[in-house]
Structure formats: structure tokens, C-alpha cells
Amino acid sequence: KNEVEQSPQNLTAQEGEFITINCSYSVGISALHWLQQHPGGGIVSLFMLSSGKKKHGRLIATINIQEKHSSLHITASHPRDSAVYICAVSDNYGQNFVFGPGTRLSVLP
Amino acid sequence: EAGVTQSPTHLIKTRGQQATLRCSPISGHTSVYWYQQALGLGLQFLLWYDEGEERNRGNFPPRFSGRQFPNYSSELNVNALELEDSALYLCASSLRNEQFFGPGTRLTVL
């Protein structure tokens, strides 16, 4: 069974700072997902990646398959980025999702 | 394009009762997933339906069940409710391995 870990557990940053959230997993996967959950509970899928790097606006996600590690970066952070960021992996069949515990980010103005 | 919808938004039940939660996937999506997020805990996979069949279930007792209808909408049923079933229940629909989440149903068991 895949184990997914995230660090840090909590993160407080000042507006404008560069932020990195890390995710590691124990077993080979077909894809890794970064999700964003706002205080109301709604979840938005930010990225799905199986290799390399993806960029969307101020968000960048990278994955190193050999090291079983992924990072989510937020450039020029803003208070509206405050949320819980969850890493999830799907197995070789692409259907069984295992979630990390989440990283709670607070960006202060 | 409409996203994943869930109903009801909130549901209050008492111990021993049954709860039924509903989910409508994005048009064209055939897979529906159910997740439980208890207070202070991470997301836990509950059930996966695809093309009307249950494909996989997480580590939950049999009183958690569901079904998927021909139009790909889905129901999650929780029988004999227990206090610890209080949680946010999220549904997601999927096409080609990417999941799209609904807003969730917050179930409170008193």
C-alpha cells in the first residue's frame, strides 16, 4: 500500500514569498495529483503529473519519479492562496487514490 | 459546463438512522468516486463506481454502500449511523485519470 507524506504540515508565509510544499510516496504510481482545499471544504484539482514539470500561473509542480518525490511551488504568494494543499497518488491502474495528510498554508498580508 | 453536483449540502441524522447522499458527475464522465473527510483527518477513499459497477472500495464497513445509475449519477448510503460517521463526504467524477470534485455533503450524526 502506498504511503504519502507531506511537509511541512503547516506553513505561514508573508505575501509575496516563494512557497514550497513537498510530497513523497513509497510505491510506484501512475500519476500524482496536487489538490487545493479551501476552508469551505471545496476541492480543486491543481495538477496531475506523471513526469517532469507543469506550470499554471503562479503555481509550479515538479515530480521526480526515481526519488518518488514531488514539490508544489507558489511564486509571489497572496492571501487568497491560503488553503490546505493535498498531494494524492494514483496507482498503476490509475484508479486507486491515496491522499497525503495535507499542508495548511496561511499567507499573511 | 456544469461541474460535479452533490445533494444535500448538509444532512443531520441521529444514531442508528440511514443517510443517503447523491452525486451527479460532469456530463460524459463515467466514473464516480466517494471520499470521506472526517474532522481533522485527511481524505479517505470510500467507493469507486464505473459504468454502473462497483470497481473498488476502501477500508470501510459494509454499512457504507452505494450504487451508480444508468445516467452515471450515484448514491452513497450509510446505514446504522454512528457518531464517528460525521464528516464531509466528497464525490468526484473522472475522465482519463483526472478527478473533478463536488462541493461535498456535510453529514452530522447526533
Side-chain angles (χ1 to χ4, degrees), chain A residues 16-109:
Chain A
E17 285 185 3
F18 180 83
I19 288 162
T20 296
I21 299 170
N22 296 298
C23 173
S24 61
Y25 52 93
S26 57
V27 180
I29 61 171
S30 69
L32 184 141
H33 310 254
W34 281 103
L35 311 172
Q36 181 191 54
Q37 185 172 29
H38 281 283
I43 292 181
V44 174
S45 179
L46 298 174
F47 294 104
M48 179 182 69
L49 63 164
S50 54
S51 64
K53 176 179 172 178
K54 285 191 176 181
K55 184 176 189 293
H56 184 242
R58 295 180 294 106
L59 302 178
I60 303 166
T62 64
I63 188 169
N64 185 318
I65 296 294
Q66 286 73 32
E67 294 186 4
K68 296 185 176 63
H69 180 269
S70 174
S71 293
L72 175 69
H73 305 286
I74 305 175
T75 61
S77 60
H78 190 275
R80 64 175 174 266
D81 297 326
S82 298
V84 176
Y85 292 83
I86 302 168
C87 169
V89 298
S90 51
D91 65 13
N92 288 333
Y93 298 98
Q95 301 297 353
N96 292 319
F97 276 64
V98 178
F99 297 87
T103 294
R104 185 174 299 276
L105 171 66
S106 297
V107 181
L108 305 177

Coordinates of all heavy atoms in Angstrom, one line a residue, chain A residues 16-109:
Chain A
G16 N 3.8 37.6 -1.0 CA 4.9 37.8 -1.9 C 6.0 36.8 -1.8 O 6.9 36.7 -2.7
E17 N 6.0 36.0 -0.7 CA 7.1 35.0 -0.6 C 6.9 33.8 -1.5 O 5.8 33.5 -2.0 CB 7.1 34.4 0.9 CG 7.6 35.4 1.9 CD 7.7 34.8 3.3 OE1 7.4 33.6 3.4 OE2 8.2 35.5 4.2
F18 N 8.0 33.1 -1.8 CA 8.0 31.9 -2.6 C 7.8 30.7 -1.7 O 8.5 30.6 -0.6 CB 9.4 31.8 -3.3 CG 9.5 30.6 -4.2 CD1 9.1 30.6 -5.4 CD2 10.2 29.4 -3.7 CE1 9.2 29.5 -6.3 CE2 10.3 28.3 -4.5 CZ 9.8 28.3 -5.8
I19 N 6.9 29.9 -2.0 CA 6.5 28.8 -1.1 C 6.7 27.4 -1.8 O 6.5 27.3 -3.0 CB 5.0 28.9 -0.8 CG1 4.8 30.1 0.1 CG2 4.4 27.7 -0.2 CD1 3.4 30.6 0.2
T20 N 7.2 26.5 -1.0 CA 7.4 25.1 -1.5 C 6.8 24.1 -0.5 O 7.0 24.2 0.7 CB 8.9 24.8 -1.6 OG1 9.5 25.6 -2.6 CG2 9.1 23.3 -2.0
I21 N 6.0 23.3 -1.1 CA 5.4 22.2 -0.3 C 5.9 20.9 -0.9 O 5.9 20.7 -2.2 CB 3.8 22.2 -0.4 CG1 3.4 23.6 0.2 CG2 3.2 21.1 0.3 CD1 1.9 23.8 0.0
N22 N 6.3 19.9 -0.1 CA 6.8 18.7 -0.6 C 5.9 17.5 -0.3 O 5.2 17.4 0.6 CB 8.2 18.4 0.1 CG 9.2 19.5 -0.2 OD1 9.5 19.7 -1.4 ND2 9.6 20.3 0.8
C23 N 6.1 16.5 -1.2 CA 5.3 15.3 -1.1 C 6.2 14.1 -1.5 O 6.9 14.2 -2.5 CB 4.1 15.4 -2.1 SG 3.2 13.8 -2.2
S24 N 6.1 13.1 -0.7 CA 6.9 11.8 -1.0 C 6.0 10.6 -0.9 O 5.0 10.7 -0.1 CB 8.1 11.7 -0.1 OG 7.7 11.6 1.2
Y25 N 6.2 9.6 -1.7 CA 5.4 8.4 -1.6 C 6.3 7.2 -1.7 O 7.5 7.3 -2.0 CB 4.4 8.5 -2.8 CG 5.0 8.7 -4.2 CD1 5.4 7.7 -5.0 CD2 5.2 10.0 -4.6 CE1 6.0 7.9 -6.2 CE2 5.8 10.2 -5.9 CZ 6.2 9.2 -6.7 OH 6.7 9.4 -7.9
S26 N 5.7 6.1 -1.4 CA 6.5 4.9 -1.1 C 6.5 3.9 -2.3 O 7.5 3.1 -2.4 CB 6.1 4.2 0.2 OG 4.8 3.8 0.1
V27 N 5.5 3.9 -3.1 CA 5.4 2.9 -4.1 C 5.2 3.5 -5.5 O 4.6 4.6 -5.6 CB 4.2 1.9 -3.8 CG1 4.0 0.8 -4.9 CG2 4.4 1.3 -2.4
G28 N 5.6 2.9 -6.6 CA 5.4 3.4 -7.9 C 4.0 3.8 -8.2 O 3.1 3.1 -7.7
I29 N 3.8 4.8 -9.0 CA 2.5 5.3 -9.2 C 2.3 5.6 -10.7 O 3.3 5.5 -11.5 CB 2.3 6.7 -8.5 CG1 3.3 7.7 -9.0 CG2 2.4 6.5 -7.0 CD1 3.1 9.1 -8.5
S30 N 1.1 5.8 -11.1 CA 0.8 6.2 -12.5 C 0.7 7.7 -12.6 O 1.0 8.3 -13.6 CB -0.5 5.5 -13.0 OG -1.6 6.1 -12.4
A31 N 0.3 8.4 -11.5 CA 0.1 9.8 -11.6 C 0.1 10.4 -10.2 O -0.3 9.7 -9.2 CB -1.1 10.3 -12.4
L32 N 0.5 11.6 -10.1 CA 0.5 12.3 -8.8 C -0.4 13.6 -9.0 O -0.3 14.2 -10.0 CB 1.9 12.7 -8.3 CG 2.0 13.4 -7.0 CD1 3.2 12.9 -6.2 CD2 2.0 14.9 -7.1
H33 N -1.2 13.9 -8.0 CA -2.1 15.0 -8.1 C -1.9 16.0 -7.0 O -1.6 15.6 -5.8 CB -3.6 14.4 -8.0 CG -3.9 13.3 -8.9 ND1 -4.7 13.4 -10.0 CD2 -3.5 12.0 -8.9 CE1 -4.7 12.3 -10.6 NE2 -4.1 11.4 -9.9
W34 N -2.0 17.2 -7.3 CA -2.0 18.3 -6.3 C -3.4 18.9 -6.2 O -3.9 19.3 -7.3 CB -1.0 19.3 -6.5 CG 0.4 18.9 -6.2 CD1 1.4 18.5 -7.0 CD2 1.0 18.9 -4.8 NE1 2.6 18.3 -6.3 CE2 2.3 18.5 -5.0 CE3 0.5 19.2 -3.6 CZ2 3.2 18.4 -3.9 CZ3 1.3 19.1 -2.5 CH2 2.7 18.7 -2.6
L35 N -4.0 18.9 -5.0 CA -5.3 19.4 -4.8 C -5.3 20.6 -3.9 O -4.4 20.7 -3.0 CB -6.2 18.3 -4.2 CG -6.2 17.0 -4.9 CD1 -7.0 16.0 -4.1 CD2 -6.8 17.1 -6.3
Q36 N -6.2 21.5 -4.0 CA -6.3 22.6 -3.1 C -7.7 22.6 -2.5 O -8.7 22.5 -3.2 CB -6.2 23.9 -3.9 CG -6.3 25.2 -3.1 CD -6.4 26.4 -4.0 OE1 -7.3 26.5 -4.9 NE2 -5.5 27.4 -3.8
Q37 N -7.7 22.7 -1.1 CA -9.0 22.6 -0.4 C -9.1 23.9 0.4 O -8.3 24.2 1.3 CB -9.1 21.4 0.5 CG -10.4 21.3 1.2 CD -10.6 20.0 1.9 OE1 -9.7 19.5 2.4 NE2 -11.9 19.5 2.0
H38 N -10.2 24.7 0.1 CA -10.4 25.9 0.8 C -11.2 25.7 2.0 O -11.8 24.6 2.2 CB -11.1 26.9 -0.2 CG -10.2 27.6 -1.1 ND1 -9.4 28.6 -0.8 CD2 -9.9 27.3 -2.4 CE1 -8.6 29.0 -1.8 NE2 -9.0 28.2 -2.8
P39 N -11.2 26.7 2.9 CA -11.9 26.5 4.2 C -13.3 25.9 4.2 O -13.7 25.2 5.0 CB -11.8 27.9 4.9 CG -10.6 28.5 4.3 CD -10.6 28.0 2.8
G40 N -14.0 26.3 3.1 CA -15.4 25.8 3.0 C -15.5 24.3 2.7 O -16.6 23.7 2.7
G41 N -14.4 23.7 2.3 CA -14.3 22.3 2.0 C -14.2 21.9 0.6 O -13.8 20.8 0.3
G42 N -14.5 22.9 -0.3 CA -14.4 22.5 -1.7 C -13.0 22.2 -2.2 O -12.0 22.8 -1.7
I43 N -12.9 21.2 -3.0 CA -11.5 20.8 -3.5 C -11.4 21.1 -5.0 O -12.3 20.8 -5.8 CB -11.3 19.3 -3.3 CG1 -11.2 19.1 -1.7 CG2 -10.1 18.8 -4.0 CD1 -11.0 17.6 -1.4
V44 N -10.3 21.6 -5.3 CA -10.0 21.9 -6.7 C -8.7 21.2 -7.1 O -7.7 21.2 -6.4 CB -9.7 23.4 -7.0 CG1 -9.3 23.7 -8.4 CG2 -11.0 24.2 -6.6
S45 N -8.8 20.5 -8.2 CA -7.6 19.8 -8.7 C -6.7 20.8 -9.4 O -7.1 21.5 -10.3 CB -8.0 18.7 -9.7 OG -6.9 18.0 -10.2
L46 N -5.4 20.9 -8.9 CA -4.5 21.9 -9.5 C -3.6 21.3 -10.6 O -3.4 21.9 -11.6 CB -3.5 22.4 -8.4 CG -4.2 23.1 -7.2 CD1 -3.1 23.4 -6.1 CD2 -4.8 24.4 -7.7
F47 N -3.1 20.1 -10.3 CA -2.2 19.5 -11.3 C -2.4 18.0 -11.2 O -2.6 17.4 -10.2 CB -0.7 19.8 -11.0 CG -0.3 21.2 -11.2 CD1 -0.1 22.0 -10.0 CD2 -0.1 21.7 -12.4 CE1 0.3 23.3 -10.2 CE2 0.4 23.0 -12.6 CZ 0.6 23.8 -11.4
M48 N -2.2 17.4 -12.4 CA -2.0 15.9 -12.4 C -0.7 15.7 -13.3 O -0.6 16.2 -14.4 CB -3.1 15.2 -13.1 CG -3.0 13.7 -13.2 SD -4.3 12.9 -14.1 CE -4.1 13.5 -15.7
L49 N 0.3 15.0 -12.7 CA 1.5 14.8 -13.5 C 2.1 13.5 -13.2 O 2.0 12.9 -12.1 CB 2.5 16.0 -13.2 CG 3.1 16.2 -11.8 CD1 4.3 17.1 -11.9 CD2 2.1 16.8 -10.9
S50 N 2.8 13.0 -14.2 CA 3.5 11.7 -14.1 C 5.0 11.8 -14.4 O 5.7 10.9 -14.1 CB 2.8 10.7 -15.0 OG 2.8 11.2 -16.4
S51 N 5.4 13.0 -14.9 CA 6.8 13.2 -15.1 C 7.1 14.7 -15.2 O 6.1 15.4 -15.6 CB 7.3 12.4 -16.3 OG 6.7 12.9 -17.4
G52 N 8.3 15.1 -15.0 CA 8.7 16.5 -15.3 C 8.1 17.5 -14.5 O 8.1 17.5 -13.2
K53 N 7.5 18.5 -15.1 CA 7.1 19.8 -14.5 C 5.9 20.3 -15.2 O 5.8 20.2 -16.5 CB 8.3 20.7 -14.6 CG 8.1 22.1 -14.1 CD 9.5 22.9 -14.3 CE 9.3 24.3 -14.1 NZ 10.6 25.0 -14.2
K54 N 5.0 20.9 -14.5 CA 3.9 21.7 -15.1 C 3.8 23.0 -14.4 O 4.1 23.2 -13.2 CB 2.6 20.9 -14.9 CG 2.5 19.7 -15.8 CD 1.1 19.1 -15.8 CE 0.9 17.9 -16.8 NZ -0.4 17.4 -16.8
K55 N 3.3 24.0 -15.1 CA 3.2 25.3 -14.6 C 1.8 25.9 -15.0 O 1.3 25.7 -16.1 CB 4.2 26.2 -15.2 CG 4.3 27.7 -14.7 CD 5.4 28.4 -15.3 CE 5.6 29.8 -14.6 NZ 4.5 30.7 -14.9
H56 N 1.1 26.5 -14.0 CA -0.1 27.1 -14.3 C -0.2 28.4 -13.5 O -0.3 28.4 -12.3 CB -1.3 26.2 -13.9 CG -2.6 26.8 -14.2 ND1 -3.6 27.1 -13.3 CD2 -3.2 27.1 -15.4 CE1 -4.7 27.6 -13.9 NE2 -4.4 27.6 -15.2
G57 N 0.0 29.5 -14.2 CA 0.0 30.8 -13.5 C 1.2 30.9 -12.5 O 2.3 30.7 -12.9
R58 N 0.9 31.1 -11.3 CA 2.0 31.3 -10.2 C 2.3 29.9 -9.6 O 3.1 29.8 -8.7 CB 1.5 32.2 -9.2 CG 1.3 33.7 -9.6 CD 0.9 34.6 -8.5 NE -0.4 34.3 -8.0 CZ -0.7 33.7 -6.9 NH1 0.3 33.4 -6.1 NH2 -1.9 33.5 -6.5
L59 N 1.7 28.9 -10.0 CA 1.9 27.5 -9.5 C 2.7 26.7 -10.4 O 2.6 26.7 -11.6 CB 0.5 26.8 -9.3 CG -0.5 27.5 -8.4 CD1 -1.8 26.7 -8.3 CD2 0.1 27.7 -7.0
I60 N 3.7 26.0 -9.8 CA 4.6 25.1 -10.5 C 4.6 23.8 -9.7 O 4.8 23.8 -8.5 CB 6.0 25.6 -10.6 CG1 6.0 27.0 -11.3 CG2 6.9 24.7 -11.4 CD1 7.3 27.8 -11.1
A61 N 4.5 22.7 -10.4 CA 4.6 21.3 -9.8 C 5.6 20.5 -10.5 O 5.7 20.6 -11.8 CB 3.2 20.6 -9.9
T62 N 6.5 19.9 -9.7 CA 7.5 19.0 -10.3 C 7.4 17.7 -9.7 O 6.9 17.5 -8.6 CB 8.9 19.6 -10.0 OG1 9.1 19.6 -8.6 CG2 9.0 21.0 -10.5
I63 N 7.9 16.7 -10.4 CA 7.9 15.3 -9.9 C 9.2 14.6 -10.3 O 9.7 14.8 -11.4 CB 6.7 14.5 -10.3 CG1 6.6 13.2 -9.6 CG2 6.7 14.3 -11.8 CD1 5.3 12.4 -9.8
N64 N 9.8 13.9 -9.4 CA 11.0 13.1 -9.6 C 10.6 11.6 -9.4 O 10.5 11.2 -8.2 CB 12.1 13.5 -8.7 CG 13.4 12.8 -9.0 OD1 13.4 11.5 -9.3 ND2 14.5 13.5 -9.0
I65 N 10.4 10.9 -10.4 CA 9.9 9.5 -10.3 C 10.9 8.6 -9.6 O 10.5 7.8 -8.8 CB 9.5 9.0 -11.7 CG1 8.4 9.8 -12.4 CG2 9.1 7.5 -11.6 CD1 7.1 9.7 -11.7
Q66 N 12.1 8.8 -9.9 CA 13.2 7.9 -9.3 C 13.2 8.1 -7.8 O 13.3 7.2 -7.1 CB 14.5 8.2 -9.9 CG 14.7 7.7 -11.4 CD 14.0 8.5 -12.4 OE1 13.8 9.7 -12.2 NE2 13.5 7.9 -13.4
E67 N 13.1 9.4 -7.4 CA 13.2 9.7 -5.9 C 11.8 9.6 -5.3 O 11.7 9.8 -4.1 CB 13.8 11.0 -5.7 CG 15.3 11.1 -6.2 CD 15.9 12.4 -5.8 OE1 15.3 13.2 -5.1 OE2 17.1 12.6 -6.2
K68 N 10.7 9.4 -6.0 CA 9.4 9.3 -5.5 C 9.1 10.6 -4.7 O 8.6 10.5 -3.5 CB 9.2 8.0 -4.6 CG 9.3 6.7 -5.4 CD 9.0 5.5 -4.6 CE 9.0 4.2 -5.4 NZ 10.4 4.0 -5.9
H69 N 9.2 11.7 -5.4 CA 9.1 13.0 -4.7 C 8.5 14.0 -5.6 O 8.8 14.0 -6.8 CB 10.5 13.4 -4.2 CG 10.4 14.7 -3.5 ND1 10.6 15.9 -4.1 CD2 10.2 15.0 -2.1 CE1 10.5 16.9 -3.2 NE2 10.3 16.4 -2.0
S70 N 7.7 14.8 -5.1 CA 7.1 15.9 -5.8 C 7.1 17.2 -5.0 O 7.0 17.1 -3.8 CB 5.7 15.6 -6.3 OG 5.0 16.7 -6.9
S71 N 7.2 18.3 -5.7 CA 7.1 19.6 -5.0 C 6.0 20.5 -5.7 O 5.9 20.4 -6.9 CB 8.4 20.3 -5.0 OG 9.4 19.6 -4.2
L72 N 5.4 21.3 -4.9 CA 4.5 22.3 -5.4 C 5.0 23.6 -4.9 O 5.3 23.9 -3.8 CB 3.1 22.1 -4.8 CG 2.0 23.2 -5.1 CD1 1.7 23.1 -6.6 CD2 0.8 23.1 -4.3
H73 N 5.2 24.5 -5.9 CA 5.8 25.8 -5.6 C 4.7 26.9 -5.9 O 4.0 26.8 -6.9 CB 7.0 26.1 -6.5 CG 8.1 25.1 -6.4 ND1 8.9 25.0 -5.3 CD2 8.5 24.1 -7.3 CE1 9.7 24.0 -5.5 NE2 9.5 23.4 -6.7
I74 N 4.7 27.9 -5.1 CA 3.8 29.0 -5.4 C 4.7 30.3 -5.4 O 5.4 30.6 -4.4 CB 2.7 29.2 -4.3 CG1 1.9 27.9 -4.1 CG2 1.8 30.4 -4.6 CD1 0.9 28.0 -3.0
T75 N 4.7 31.0 -6.5 CA 5.5 32.2 -6.6 C 4.6 33.4 -6.2 O 3.4 33.4 -6.5 CB 6.1 32.4 -8.0 OG1 5.0 32.5 -8.9 CG2 7.0 31.2 -8.4
A76 N 5.3 34.4 -5.7 CA 4.6 35.7 -5.3 C 3.3 35.4 -4.6 O 2.2 35.7 -5.1 CB 4.3 36.5 -6.6
S77 N 3.4 34.7 -3.5 CA 2.2 34.2 -2.8 C 1.3 35.4 -2.4 O 1.7 36.5 -2.2 CB 2.6 33.4 -1.5 OG 3.4 34.2 -0.7
H78 N 0.0 35.0 -2.3 CA -1.1 36.0 -2.0 C -2.0 35.4 -0.9 O -2.1 34.2 -0.9 CB -1.8 36.3 -3.3 CG -2.8 37.4 -3.2 ND1 -4.1 37.3 -2.7 CD2 -2.6 38.7 -3.5 CE1 -4.6 38.5 -2.7 NE2 -3.8 39.4 -3.2
P79 N -2.6 36.3 -0.1 CA -3.5 35.7 0.9 C -4.6 34.8 0.4 O -5.0 33.9 1.0 CB -4.2 37.0 1.5 CG -3.1 38.0 1.4 CD -2.4 37.7 0.1
R80 N -5.0 35.0 -0.9 CA -6.0 34.1 -1.4 C -5.5 32.7 -1.7 O -6.3 31.8 -2.0 CB -6.6 34.7 -2.7 CG -5.7 34.8 -3.9 CD -6.4 35.2 -5.1 NE -5.4 35.5 -6.2 CZ -4.9 36.7 -6.5 NH1 -5.3 37.7 -5.7 NH2 -4.0 36.9 -7.4
D81 N -4.2 32.5 -1.6 CA -3.6 31.2 -1.7 C -3.7 30.4 -0.4 O -3.4 29.2 -0.4 CB -2.1 31.3 -2.1 CG -1.8 31.9 -3.4 OD1 -2.7 31.8 -4.3 OD2 -0.8 32.7 -3.5
S82 N -4.2 31.0 0.6 CA -4.4 30.3 1.9 C -5.4 29.2 1.7 O -6.5 29.4 1.3 CB -4.8 31.3 3.0 OG -3.9 32.3 3.2
A83 N -4.9 28.0 2.0 CA -5.8 26.8 1.8 C -5.0 25.6 2.3 O -3.8 25.7 2.8 CB -6.1 26.6 0.3
V84 N -5.6 24.4 2.3 CA -4.9 23.2 2.5 C -4.5 22.6 1.2 O -5.4 22.5 0.3 CB -5.7 22.2 3.3 CG1 -5.0 20.9 3.5 CG2 -6.1 22.8 4.7
Y85 N -3.3 22.2 1.0 CA -2.8 21.6 -0.2 C -2.5 20.2 0.0 O -1.8 19.8 0.9 CB -1.5 22.4 -0.7 CG -1.8 23.8 -1.2 CD1 -1.9 24.8 -0.2 CD2 -2.1 24.0 -2.5 CE1 -2.3 26.1 -0.6 CE2 -2.4 25.3 -2.9 CZ -2.5 26.3 -2.0 OH -2.9 27.6 -2.4
I86 N -3.2 19.4 -0.8 CA -3.2 17.9 -0.6 C -2.5 17.2 -1.8 O -2.8 17.5 -3.0 CB -4.6 17.4 -0.5 CG1 -5.3 18.0 0.7 CG2 -4.6 15.8 -0.3 CD1 -6.8 17.8 0.7
C87 N -1.6 16.4 -1.5 CA -0.9 15.5 -2.5 C -1.6 14.2 -2.6 O -1.9 13.6 -1.5 CB 0.5 15.4 -2.2 SG 1.5 14.2 -3.1
A88 N -1.9 13.7 -3.7 CA -2.5 12.4 -3.8 C -1.8 11.6 -5.0 O -1.4 12.2 -5.9 CB -4.0 12.5 -4.1
V89 N -1.8 10.3 -4.8 CA -1.2 9.5 -5.9 C -2.2 8.4 -6.3 O -3.0 7.9 -5.5 CB 0.1 8.8 -5.4 CG1 1.2 9.8 -5.0 CG2 -0.1 7.8 -4.2
S90 N -2.1 8.1 -7.6 CA -3.0 7.1 -8.1 C -2.1 5.9 -8.6 O -1.0 6.2 -9.1 CB -3.9 7.6 -9.2 OG -3.1 8.3 -10.2
D91 N -2.6 4.7 -8.4 CA -1.7 3.5 -8.7 C -1.6 3.2 -10.2 O -2.0 4.0 -11.0 CB -2.3 2.3 -7.9 CG -3.7 1.9 -8.4 OD1 -4.1 2.4 -9.5 OD2 -4.3 1.1 -7.7
N92 N -1.0 2.1 -10.4 CA -0.7 1.8 -11.8 C -1.9 1.6 -12.6 O -1.9 1.6 -13.9 CB 0.2 0.5 -11.9 CG 1.6 0.9 -11.4 OD1 2.1 2.0 -11.6 ND2 2.3 -0.1 -10.9
Y93 N -3.1 1.4 -12.0 CA -4.3 1.2 -12.7 C -5.0 2.6 -12.9 O -6.0 2.7 -13.5 CB -5.2 0.2 -12.0 CG -4.6 -1.1 -12.0 CD1 -4.0 -1.6 -10.8 CD2 -4.7 -2.0 -13.1 CE1 -3.4 -2.8 -10.8 CE2 -4.1 -3.2 -13.0 CZ -3.5 -3.7 -11.9 OH -2.9 -4.9 -11.8
G94 N -4.4 3.6 -12.2 CA -4.9 5.0 -12.3 C -6.2 5.2 -11.6 O -6.8 6.2 -11.8
Q95 N -6.6 4.3 -10.7 CA -7.9 4.5 -10.1 C -7.9 4.5 -8.6 O -8.8 5.0 -8.0 CB -8.8 3.4 -10.6 CG -9.0 3.3 -12.1 CD -9.6 4.6 -12.7 OE1 -10.0 5.4 -12.0 NE2 -9.6 4.7 -14.0
N96 N -6.9 3.9 -8.0 CA -6.9 3.9 -6.5 C -6.1 5.1 -6.0 O -4.9 5.2 -6.2 CB -6.3 2.6 -6.0 CG -7.2 1.4 -6.3 OD1 -8.4 1.5 -6.2 ND2 -6.6 0.3 -6.7
F97 N -6.8 6.0 -5.3 CA -6.2 7.2 -4.9 C -5.8 7.1 -3.4 O -6.6 6.6 -2.6 CB -7.1 8.4 -5.0 CG -7.1 9.0 -6.4 CD1 -7.5 8.3 -7.5 CD2 -6.6 10.3 -6.5 CE1 -7.5 8.9 -8.7 CE2 -6.6 10.9 -7.8 CZ -7.0 10.2 -8.9
V98 N -4.6 7.5 -3.1 CA -4.1 7.6 -1.7 C -3.7 9.0 -1.5 O -2.9 9.6 -2.3 CB -2.9 6.6 -1.4 CG1 -2.4 6.8 0.0 CG2 -3.3 5.2 -1.7
F99 N -4.2 9.6 -0.4 CA -4.0 11.0 -0.1 C -3.0 11.2 1.0 O -2.9 10.5 1.9 CB -5.3 11.7 0.3 CG -6.4 11.6 -0.8 CD1 -7.2 10.5 -0.9 CD2 -6.5 12.7 -1.6 CE1 -8.2 10.5 -1.9 CE2 -7.5 12.6 -2.6 CZ -8.3 11.5 -2.8
G100 N -2.2 12.3 0.8 CA -1.4 12.8 1.9 C -2.2 13.5 2.9 O -3.4 13.8 2.7
P101 N -1.6 13.8 4.1 CA -2.4 14.5 5.1 C -2.7 15.9 4.9 O -3.5 16.5 5.6 CB -1.4 14.3 6.3 CG 0.0 14.2 5.7 CD -0.2 13.5 4.4
G102 N -2.0 16.5 3.9 CA -2.3 17.9 3.6 C -1.3 18.9 4.3 O -0.7 18.6 5.3
T103 N -1.1 20.0 3.7 CA -0.3 21.1 4.2 C -1.2 22.3 4.3 O -1.7 22.8 3.3 CB 0.9 21.4 3.3 OG1 1.8 20.3 3.3 CG2 1.7 22.6 3.8
R104 N -1.3 22.8 5.5 CA -2.1 24.0 5.7 C -1.3 25.3 5.5 O -0.4 25.5 6.3 CB -2.8 24.0 7.1 CG -3.8 25.2 7.3 CD -4.4 25.0 8.7 NE -5.2 23.8 8.7 CZ -6.4 23.6 8.3 NH1 -7.1 24.6 7.7 NH2 -7.1 22.5 8.4
L105 N -1.6 26.1 4.5 CA -0.9 27.3 4.2 C -1.7 28.5 4.6 O -2.8 28.6 4.2 CB -0.6 27.3 2.7 CG 0.0 28.6 2.1 CD1 1.4 28.9 2.7 CD2 0.1 28.6 0.6
S106 N -1.0 29.4 5.3 CA -1.6 30.7 5.6 C -0.7 31.8 5.0 O 0.5 31.8 5.4 CB -1.8 30.9 7.1 OG -2.7 30.0 7.6
V107 N -1.2 32.6 4.2 CA -0.4 33.7 3.6 C -0.9 35.0 4.2 O -2.1 35.4 4.0 CB -0.5 33.8 2.1 CG1 0.4 34.9 1.6 CG2 0.0 32.4 1.5
L108 N -0.1 35.7 4.9 CA -0.5 36.9 5.6 C -0.2 38.1 4.8 O 0.8 38.2 4.1 CB 0.3 37.0 6.9 CG 0.2 35.8 7.9 CD1 1.0 36.0 9.1 CD2 -1.3 35.6 8.3
P109 N -1.1 39.1 4.8 CA -0.9 40.3 4.0 C 0.2 41.2 4.6 O 0.5 41.1 5.7 CB -2.3 41.0 4.1 CG -2.9 40.5 5.3 CD -2.4 39.1 5.5

